[in-house]
Amino acid sequence: MNSPANGDREAFEAYCQDGVERALALGNRGPMRFDDDGRLAREIVDAYNEHGFYVFTGVLSQSEINDLTREFDALLDNAPRSTEDELDSHGRPSRYGGYMTLSRRDAEGDLDAGDDAPMRVGLVSHPLMFMHSALCVYAHPDILRMVASIHGDDFVPFHESIFHKGAGEGPPTSWHQDGRTHWTEDGAVIEGRDGSGKKHGFNLSVSWSHCTPENGLWVVPGSQRQWRLAGGGSFPPISERIPEAVPMMLAPGDCGMVNRSSLHGSFPNRSPERRITMVMGYHSRESAIGTKTTNVHAFMRPIREGEPREYSEDYVLRRTRMIPLAIDARRQKYPDEEPYEYKGSFVGSAEWNDTTRAEISREGDEYWRRDITL
């Protein structure tokens, strides 16, 4: 495998350095900036549409970063000892172990590490249900203004999860494109170069760690326009160091927006830095309602293939309710902050209280059962 695990550390470091230089030359990173109408600055939108991703710096305050870190570390401390065990390493019941993707891996990320290797948490799904800090970040007013600038005022959700790669460990994520529905027969993206038309939405990686070339995501700029799987094609293996790829470097509090049609992946983490990013995805309403596809996210843990379903208006409206609920939860936590005013349609109460908290986590009807994979 052409990776730093096979002794070519020097070559990998040179590739990372080249990648950093290419990334910084793109002109697609900086603070969120809005015009007088509250829309994202035009040059930011243009850079995102051209390259397929954008890095927003300094979005979260230090207090929000601290809240996320504290809650997430407590969640990890309560992880089950194995996929078959309901207790954590302290002998306590693992409250949310069913939402954690675990595997036994050694420090090199080897899946065949054996029963003596520690169990590692690589993914936590649907954190809005049990991390209040995540729910409040979901309603950050600048983030939602940015989403409306890309997808329109009636934007709808996709899915939420937390990616975790511990320091010095963590397997690679293969090169892939997430979008699967809105392509032409020959694999051209339906989305226009100006962001118009039906599209696959974007993933927003909210970071409360340092995401570096070694532990973070790499993106191929401009790759969102052609589907690699069209006509019997395939994705390159992660062992291939794509020359055009660049790392999406994030500091705690930064957010990386990636078009879900973009080719992206990550290498094994050999660094002393852990990577923690919460992915909050969004779609345009017109891209979601009426689309029929295989949903792989509306489960406790993501699966390879789910059941085909068509997203009815009721399905989308019920899932969209999480946006105003999160806005009200954040309003209660930050009463001096001007909340975002969501202008889209949804079904159900928008008041965050004990009743709605119980409703979104009701067994068999949890909010995430209406996630929207496109």
Side-chain angles (χ1 to χ4, degrees):
M1 178 178 178
N2 185 21
S3 76
N6 280 359
D8 60 342
R9 181 73 188 181
E10 185 174 329
F12 183 69
E13 289 179 351
Y15 176 72
C16 289
Q17 183 57 44
D18 288 344
V20 168
E21 294 176 4
R22 293 194 302 273
L24 296 178
L26 290 175
N28 64 337
R29 65 183 297 123
M32 286 187 185
R33 292 181 289 106
F34 300 90
D35 61 25
D36 293 341
D37 295 324
R39 294 300 189 186
L40 203 59
R42 186 70 247 175
E43 59 267 27
I44 293 177
V45 177
D46 290 343
Y48 166 69
N49 287 334
E50 178 181 356
H51 301 300
F53 78 106
Y54 201 97
V55 173
F56 296 108
T57 57
V59 178
L60 301 188
S61 67
Q62 188 60 52
S63 64
E64 289 199 74
I65 295 168
N66 293 343
D67 287 347
L68 288 163
T69 301
R70 182 176 61 254
E71 279 201 82
F72 185 70
D73 284 345
L75 200 66
L76 289 182
D77 191 52
N78 188 227
R81 293 178 293 202
S82 72
T83 53
E84 296 80 26
D85 203 329
E86 296 183 356
L87 302 179
D88 66 15
S89 60
H90 307 286
R92 305 170 301 185
S94 179
R95 294 187 65 192
Y96 303 109
Y99 291 94
M100 299 181 186
T101 300
L102 305 97
S103 59
R104 293 195 185 277
R105 302 178 188 270
D106 61 18
E108 300 299 321
D110 184 3
L111 273 170
D112 301 317
D115 294 339
D116 294 333
M119 186 66 70
R120 306 181 190 278
V121 178
L123 186 72
V124 177
S125 299
H126 319 303
L128 303 190
M129 203 169 68
F130 44 82
M131 280 183 64
H132 192 68
S133 58
L135 180 69
C136 290
V137 168
Y138 190 66
H140 191 292
D142 282 348
I143 289 177
L144 296 185
R145 283 200 293 165
M146 178 274 294
V147 178
S149 300
I150 300 296
H151 285 327
D153 291 330
D154 58 350
F155 60 89
V156 299
F158 153 49
H159 168 76
E160 307 84 35
S161 58
I162 300 173
F163 285 86
H164 173 246
K165 285 190 177 186
E169 64 181 47
T173 299
S174 297
W175 293 113
H176 68 286
Q177 293 167 293
D178 291 316
R180 60 180 63 199
T181 54
H182 298 312
W183 305 99
T184 65
E185 288 188 6
D186 61 356
V189 71
I190 295 176
E191 179 180 358
R193 287 182 176 267
D194 61 353
S196 61
K198 291 191 174 182
K199 45 196 171 184
H200 296 122
F202 62 79
N203 300 328
L204 187 72
S205 293
V206 178
S207 179
W208 57 95
S209 69
H210 288 279
C211 296
T212 67
E214 280 194 298
N215 69 16
L217 196 69
W218 287 65
V219 186
V220 179
S223 59
Q224 73 273 17
R225 300 188 186 102
Q226 184 66 38
W227 196 25
R228 293 288 187 108
L229 298 186
S234 61
F235 297 129
I238 195 59
S239 57
E240 182 178 333
R241 296 174 188 160
I242 299 176
E244 302 82 12
V246 298
M248 191 171 73
M249 298 165 291
L250 304 173
D254 292 351
C255 298
M257 174 173 61
V258 181
N259 189 312
R260 297 187 68 250
S261 300
S262 295
L263 184 67
H264 57 284
S266 64
F267 299 103
N269 183 19
R270 313 298 183 211
S271 76
E273 294 268 9
R274 69 172 177 169
R275 169 195 168 190
I276 314 170
T277 52
M278 178 171 68
V279 171
M280 313 188 313
Y282 301 92
H283 295 303
S284 67
R285 190 174 297 251
E286 69 162 346
S287 299
I289 294 177
T291 297
K292 185 174 183 180
T293 187
T294 299
N295 194 317
V296 300
H297 293 98
F299 301 87
M300 291 185 76
R301 301 187 185 100
I303 61 173
R304 189 174 297 275
E305 291 297 338
E307 291 294 325
R309 65 175 58 182
E310 183 172 342
Y311 302 127
S312 67
E313 184 173 7
D314 179 72
Y315 179 105
V316 173
L317 291 178
R318 292 177 68 189
R319 180 61 174 84
T320 303
R321 181 194 189 193
M322 283 306 301
I323 296 172
L325 282 177
I327 290 171
D328 194 52
R330 184 177 180 94
R331 178 191 60 78
Q332 295 175 37
K333 184 174 182 179
Y334 301 105
D336 296 330
E337 176 185 85
E338 183 176 353
Y340 178 80
E341 181 183 353
Y342 180 62
K343 298 178 181 178
S345 301
F346 57 92
V347 169
S349 167
E351 182 179 348
W352 181 250
N353 51 37
D354 290 341
T355 299
T356 50
R357 182 184 294 107
E359 286 177 4
I360 68 166
S361 57
R362 182 182 297 122
E363 187 173 357
D365 193 36
E366 296 91 344
Y367 83 91
W368 48 261
R369 292 184 182 275
R370 286 170 287 277
D371 278 359
I372 303 171
T373 303
L374 291 181

